Amino acid sequence: MPLMLLRRCFIDRRLITSELKWLIVIILLCVCEMDFVSCQARYSIPEETPEGSSVGNVAKDLGIEINRLISGKARVVTKGGRQYVELSRDKGTLVVKERIDREELCKQTTPCSFSFDLIMENPIELHRVTVEVQDVNDNAPIFPKGTVNLQIIENTETGARFPLDRAVDLDVGINGIESYSLSQNDHFTLKINTQADGNKHVEMVLQRDLDREDRDQLKLVLTAYDGGSPKKSGTMQIHISVLDVNDNKPVCREIAYKAEVRENLAAGAVVTVVSATDADQGLNGHVSYSFAQASKEARNVFKINSETGAITTSDTLDYETEKMYHLNVKAMDNGTLSDTCNVIIEIIDENDNSPSIQLMSFSNIIAENSPIGTTVAVINVEDADSGQNGLVQCKINENIPFKIESSLSDYYAIITDELLDRENIAEYNITILVSDQGSPARHSNKTISVKISDVNDNPPVFSSEEFKAFVAENNSPGVAVLTVKASDADWGPNARLSYFLEDRNIQGNPVSSLVSVNSESGVVHAIKAFDYEQMKTFSFNVTARDGGSPPLSSEVTVTIIVQDQNDNAPQVLYPLQTGGSVVAEIVPRSADVGYLVTKVVAVDVDSGQNAWLSYKLQKATDRALFEVGAQNGEIRTVRQVTDKDAVKQKLTVVVEDNGQPSRSAVVNINVAVADTFPEVLSEFTDFTHSKQYNDDLTFYLVLALAAVSFLFITTVVVIISVKIYRWRQSRIFYQSNLPVIPYYPPGYTDTGVTGTLPHMYNYDACMTTDSRKSNCKYSTLGGQSVLVMDPSFTETLQRAMVEKQIQQEPESPEVVRK
Ligand SMILES: *[C@@H]1O[C@H](CO)[C@@H](O)[C@H](O)[C@H]1NC(C)=O
């Protein structure tokens, strides 16, 4: 029963409460008091003792004889579990039968022991043996994980704690964990707190800031040591990843980006690439680019790729607009940090602008007498390009009398280089050619037209050096005789010519009484009928004057040659034909054949053929007796005079000129054929009885003379009054600038009217000589006066005129002709 109790006591020991323990100890002591049961034997061995090693001499320790052990068949009885120990009976010792692992046997329980019974029979004897297993340091500290990964944000404040797994050592006591150590590093230290249960709490404390940009990975090793001897250790890898924080701002790679770009670069070309770096990671290090503080102009021209930082042109560049751009590029990461990169873009000039020509002043008309060096135009030449591309050269076309001179920079003057002559070239086109020095060069040109204005530098020039006109006498007054023509090389008013008659006296009369000149047409009109017998030729000067200021003029001599017409009948000079007197040529009866009786002397004031006279016997008392020399007018006898011939012979001789038609005069010649004067006288008394008639005629002549004288005086008075009136009129007339109209004094006894004056009146001029009757009469037809002559009167008139002329010029060779 006590055995059973004891046994139960062993078995249930672990289950027994602490109250029960005390009860079991008491019972054990009671059992040990008993005789047959010796008390316990205790041994102590280290774990891991090799098999066969002696645990202890149980026979000796328990006082049992070897024999007894053998006879009693002593054996080890282990209840359950493994039997670590066996009995060597013949030696009485206990030896290790199986490896003993304390940690397996007892875990962390200390002290660790196992018990078994030694049983013998005959008599039964029971001994309890307890073997205490001592710990041996056979286990190293072990961490639950070989590697631990930590992620720590950079810039975590110092002092931050990071708990770590602790290590486990199966050994106990001194062989358990004793210490930890952390591999050498700059950032962390180890802090170990021993907790109330004896366990150690391991943590890392951050001593220095982590910087991902410096090191983004840290590898530490935590080592745990036990207290055994020799010590054993275990390690744990600590992998620390430093997490990024946006603590770095982007940084431009270059302080200033400089780029040189040619203007006219095509849009889209890359100018430069801005680049900034950010030490941060991921989005914190992702840099985007944009313009900051860029001018509007720059933004119009450039754009930036926000991802790559490439600056490209978005429009064509123009050096002339902007030579340089300063751009600020903001490089920004995804956070709020940024940097500003300076970009300087310099535009390089290209020769893309043609030079421009601007007329600053220009006189498109210059006078032909402008002196050399007269400025025609001032031009301004500009080229927007710079350098050689903007350097401009200027010239004008050649072979014109102009040159170009540079006055100020960019200003040129076109001046005359020679004297100009409008009459030669009246207009010039000046082409200004401007080119710059670029490569290739650019050109511009401009043409200006310069007109040369006229100056009155050319006098009128007559078409002929001298003008001559032949006018048949007795021309109708007003007839156009000739036209003087002059030309003037000038232009406009300077070439507008007027013709004037130069005043001069011709045979005591002003030339204006003879001719007039149409001031515009230059037509010379005869004012009156010319009389060859009075004036065979006359000259006068006509001036052509232009309208310049001052005017220039030229003179030309006009000669009018009056041509003769057969307007005068022959005039018999001898024998004198007086109505009353009886003149007779005496032919002696003894006269021979061919006796010169007399000579008819006649003249014809005409000239040439018109004055070439021939004589003809028209009537004769005795045609057989006389003959007339056809050429010389000599009357000769053609036969011997006989006594039968009558004393009184009457001859009629006709004197004819050779004109077409011819004119003639008749002369009566009395011839007395007698030897003595009384004979003649007696014969010719019938010649004188007509004296009464002659007396009557004389009376009538005196009467006529008185009438003519009265008429003459009246006419003179009228002429003087009219002349004074006209003179006063003409004074007013000349003061005006009207063209000079030929002036016709009204006192002329010329017949008819002039063609140039619109006469509203008729000159009451008649040719009256010895006639008491009016021999002319007027008829007015359509405003023009026509003189109708009585043909019967012509002869009388002509004779009267001839008589007058002979009295004036008796020696005139033209008058006396043979
Ligand atoms: C000047 O140019 C104009 C226009 O081209 C032309 O009509 C004229 O005949 C030219 N004049 C001269 C003198 O060449």
Side-chain angles (χ1 to χ4, degrees):
M1 197 53 193
L3 180 70
M4 290 297 288
L5 190 67
L6 185 69
R7 210 186 273 170
R8 276 183 61 180
C9 175
F10 268 93
I11 292 163
D12 298 326
R13 191 184 63 90
R14 252 178 255 159
L15 307 170
I16 293 167
T17 62
S18 57
E19 289 87 9
L20 279 174
K21 260 183 194 169
W22 289 107
L23 186 63
I24 291 165
V25 170
I26 294 164
I27 293 166
L28 265 172
L29 287 172
C30 293
V31 170
C32 285
E33 291 295 314
M34 292 174 16
D35 273 328
F36 63 96
V37 179
S38 84
C39 259
Q40 296 176 356
R42 288 190 76 93
Y43 298 96
S44 176
I45 58 167
E47 60 175 331
E48 308 287 350
T49 302
E51 283 172 34
S53 299
S54 170
V55 177
N57 193 338
V58 74
K60 185 182 153 195
D61 292 338
L62 289 175
I64 303 167
E65 305 242 326
I66 300 295
N67 296 336
R68 171 67 181 132
L69 287 176
I70 297 166
S71 61
K73 292 177 188 169
R75 63 177 194 272
V76 170
V77 177
T78 305
K79 295 213 180 73
R82 290 182 181 170
Q83 188 179 334
Y84 294 109
V85 175
E86 65 182 355
L87 180 68
S88 171
R89 267 185 231 161
D90 44 348
K91 285 181 189 163
T93 57
L94 289 169
V95 291
V96 177
K97 185 189 170 198
E98 200 182 321
R99 187 185 79 93
I100 304 166
D101 183 11
R102 191 203 69 80
E103 285 74 26
E104 188 188 342
L105 191 67
C106 303
K107 309 287 183 212
Q108 292 291 303
T109 309
T110 52
C112 175
S113 62
F114 61 88
S115 297
F116 55 86
D117 293 326
L118 185 68
I119 297 175
M120 282 178 295
E121 295 170 5
N122 297 329
I124 292 173
E125 219 175 307
L126 189 67
H127 296 279
R128 169 136 287 220
V129 178
T130 302
V131 176
E132 190 181 337
V133 180
Q134 291 168 346
D135 187 37
V136 168
N137 192 21
D138 58 348
N139 283 290
I142 293 171
F143 285 96
K145 290 184 216 156
T147 305
V148 65
N149 292 316
L150 290 179
Q151 291 187 326
I152 302 173
I153 295 170
E154 65 174 327
N155 297 345
T156 304
E157 278 183 38
T158 53
R161 294 159 176 234
F162 302 94
L164 298 171
D165 287 337
R166 60 170 176 258
V168 174
D169 196 324
L170 293 176
D171 295 327
V172 294
I174 190 122
N175 292 330
I177 302 288
E178 189 193 52
S179 63
Y180 289 91
S181 76
L182 195 62
S183 59
Q184 182 64 40
N185 74 89
D186 295 335
H187 297 278
F188 295 98
T189 54
L190 208 56
K191 185 169 183 193
I192 295 165
N193 296 318
T194 306
Q195 290 174 317
D197 60 357
N199 284 327
K200 291 182 165 64
H201 183 73
V202 184
E203 52 189 12
M204 288 190 305
V205 179
L206 185 65
Q207 296 293 326
R208 230 189 86 206
D209 279 345
L210 289 170
D211 185 7
R212 191 201 66 79
E213 288 72 36
D214 184 26
R215 272 184 88 179
D216 62 345
Q217 295 281 335
L218 283 172
K219 288 202 166 118
L220 303 179
V221 179
L222 180 65
T223 309
Y225 295 97
D226 60 20
S229 179
K231 285 179 186 291
K232 281 184 180 287
S233 63
T235 60
M236 178 173 71
Q237 304 290 327
I238 304 171
H239 285 186
I240 300 172
S241 297
V242 182
L243 296 184
D244 187 47
V245 162
N246 193 19
D247 57 348
N248 285 285
K249 64 176 202 171
V251 177
C252 295
R253 277 193 213 276
E254 288 174 39
I255 295 164
Y257 288 85
K258 279 188 181 151
E260 290 188 343
V261 189
R262 305 193 75 81
E263 65 173 328
N264 300 333
L265 197 67
V270 175
V271 176
T272 186
V273 178
V274 177
S275 171
T277 53
D278 192 312
D280 293 326
Q281 203 183 19
L283 290 176
N284 292 334
H286 182 265
V287 181
S288 59
Y289 304 91
S290 61
F291 285 134
Q293 298 162 359
S295 63
K296 197 174 158 229
E297 290 74 30
R299 278 178 208 273
N300 285 341
V301 178
F302 298 106
K303 60 184 179 191
I304 189 162
N305 184 317
S306 65
E307 286 302 312
T308 63
I311 297 175
T312 52
T313 55
S314 58
D315 199 351
T316 48
L317 300 169
D318 186 12
Y319 175 85
E320 286 70 39
T321 309
E322 199 72 58
K323 296 178 173 49
M324 194 179 270
Y325 291 93
H326 287 272
L327 304 174
N328 286 330
V329 174
K330 187 173 174 186
M332 192 167 195
D333 63 20
N334 255 31
T336 52
L337 301 177
S338 65
D339 191 12
T340 302
C341 312
N342 287 318
V343 181
I344 297 166
I345 300 171
E346 211 172 307
I347 312 299
I348 301 168
D349 185 43
E350 280 195 350
N351 195 16
D352 59 342
N353 286 288
S354 294
S356 70
I357 305 168
Q358 216 184 345
L359 277 179
M360 303 310 284
S361 79
F362 171 46
S363 45
N364 61 343
I365 297 176
I366 59 166
E368 61 177 321
N369 63 349
S370 303
I372 291 173
T374 301
T375 301
V376 177
V378 175
I379 55 168
N380 175 234
V381 174
E382 273 175 2
D383 192 307
D385 294 321
S386 59
Q388 290 284 311
N389 294 338
L391 214 57
V392 174
Q393 265 191 347
C394 202
K395 59 184 181 185
I396 56 171
N397 52 328
E398 284 164 5
N399 303 326
I400 52 171
F402 299 94
K403 65 178 177 183
I404 192 160
E405 274 185 356
S406 171
S407 44
L408 292 165
S409 64
D410 298 343
Y411 282 87
Y412 293 86
I414 296 173
I415 59 172
T416 57
D417 198 20
E418 290 169 25
L419 288 175
L420 303 169
D421 184 15
R422 189 204 66 82
E423 285 70 38
N424 191 15
I425 298 175
E427 186 189 6
Y428 291 96
N429 284 344
I430 304 175
T431 303
I432 307 157
L433 187 71
V434 179
S435 39
D436 61 25
Q437 307 287 299
S439 156
R442 281 176 169 268
H443 311 278
S444 293
N445 64 58
K446 191 182 194 81
T447 299
I448 55 174
S449 185
V450 177
K451 288 195 168 61
I452 313 299
S453 71
D454 189 46
V455 166
N456 194 20
D457 56 352
N458 285 285
V461 175
F462 279 97
S463 57
S464 173
E465 278 178 25
E466 201 186 352
F467 287 90
K468 251 182 205 164
F470 295 89
V471 184
E473 62 176 332
N474 303 322
N475 55 289
S476 55
V479 74
V481 173
L482 82 160
T483 303
V484 290
K485 199 80 206 155
S487 58
D488 193 309
D490 291 322
W491 182 85
N494 294 336
R496 194 175 301 143
L497 299 182
S498 307
Y499 302 91
F500 302 97
L501 190 61
E502 288 298 308
D503 203 16
R504 84 156 52 159
N505 272 1
I506 293 170
Q507 293 180 359
N509 292 319
V511 70
S512 54
S513 65
L514 297 173
V515 288
S516 70
V517 175
N518 186 308
S519 64
E520 277 176 34
S521 64
V523 175
V524 178
H525 294 275
I527 285 180
K528 65 176 190 180
F530 299 133
D531 185 2
Y532 176 84
E533 286 69 36
Q534 278 187 2
M535 196 160 44
K536 293 184 173 46
T537 176
F538 64 97
S539 296
F540 55 91
N541 286 346
V542 172
T543 301
R545 190 185 303 151
D546 62 27
S549 172
L552 295 175
S553 58
S554 301
E555 247 183 36
V556 75
T557 303
V558 180
T559 305
I560 305 279
I561 298 156
V562 182
Q563 286 178 313
D564 186 42
Q565 276 192 328
N566 194 19
D567 57 345
N568 288 291
Q571 175 70 43
V572 178
L573 298 180
Y574 184 86
L576 233 72
Q577 298 290 296
T578 53
S581 63
V582 176
V583 180
E585 305 296 334
I586 298 166
V587 177
R589 291 191 184 273
S590 58
D592 288 335
V593 174
Y595 175 84
L596 178 65
V597 180
T598 186
K599 181 179 163 84
V600 176
V601 178
V603 291
D604 192 314
V605 291
D606 293 326
S607 53
Q609 294 280 323
N610 296 334
W612 191 359
L613 301 180
S614 60
Y615 304 85
K616 224 167 40 183
L617 190 61
Q618 195 185 36
K619 255 194 299 185
T621 313
D622 184 355
R623 267 194 173 273
L625 186 58
F626 301 103
E627 65 162 10
V628 177
Q631 301 303 318
N632 50 21
E634 287 174 353
I635 300 171
R636 292 174 187 273
T637 56
V638 287
R639 65 171 167 83
Q640 192 69 45
V641 181
T642 63
D643 291 341
K644 281 180 267 171
D645 291 328
V647 174
K648 212 170 72 182
Q649 297 278 343
K650 208 171 178 185
L651 302 177
T652 304
V653 174
V654 175
V655 185
E656 265 188 344
D657 62 21
N658 204 28
Q660 281 295 332
S662 71
R663 287 174 182 270
S664 59
V666 176
V667 60
N668 293 313
I669 302 154
N670 294 317
V671 178
V673 179
D675 285 332
T676 58
F677 187 69
E679 187 184 1
V680 175
L681 211 61
S682 64
E683 281 299 316
F684 279 87
T685 43
D686 58 325
F687 284 136
T688 56
H689 77 256
S690 61
K691 190 172 172 15
Q692 180 59 46
Y693 163 77
N694 278 347
D695 288 343
D696 286 350
L697 190 67
T698 308
F699 169 74
Y700 286 126
L701 277 171
V702 169
L703 203 67
L705 197 66
V708 166
S709 299
F710 172 73
L711 208 65
F712 177 74
I713 287 162
T714 311
T715 309
V716 165
V717 168
V718 168
I719 286 170
I720 288 168
S721 353
V722 170
K723 244 190 169 171
I724 287 168
Y725 172 74
R726 296 289 292 207
W727 177 76
R728 291 185 65 176
Q729 285 286 84
S730 69
R731 291 287 293 185
I732 300 163
F733 200 67
Y734 276 114
Q735 276 161 10
S736 70
N737 286 329
L738 291 168
V740 177
I741 297 165
Y743 165 59
Y744 303 96
Y748 288 98
T749 52
D750 303 340
T751 58
V753 294
T754 62
T756 47
L757 272 181
H759 285 288
M760 299 310 291
Y761 53 89
N762 300 315
Y763 289 108
D764 201 21
C766 265
M767 287 168 205
T768 54
T769 48
D770 57 350
S771 175
R772 274 158 291 178
K773 331 179 266 277
S774 176
N775 289 310
C776 57
K777 46 184 184 276
Y778 291 100
S779 71
T780 306
L781 298 168
Q784 232 184 351
S785 296
V786 176
L787 180 65
V788 180
M789 296 286 249
D790 186 355
S792 66
F793 170 70
T794 311
E795 204 172 292
T796 322
L797 170 68
Q798 284 165 348
R799 178 170 297 184
M801 287 174 77
V802 169
E803 273 171 356
K804 193 176 162 199
Q805 194 152 2
I806 291 165
Q807 279 162 6
Q808 283 170 350
E809 304 169 340
E811 303 301 323
S812 179
E814 279 123 334
V815 175
V816 181
R817 252 191 111 97
K818 297 206 169 157

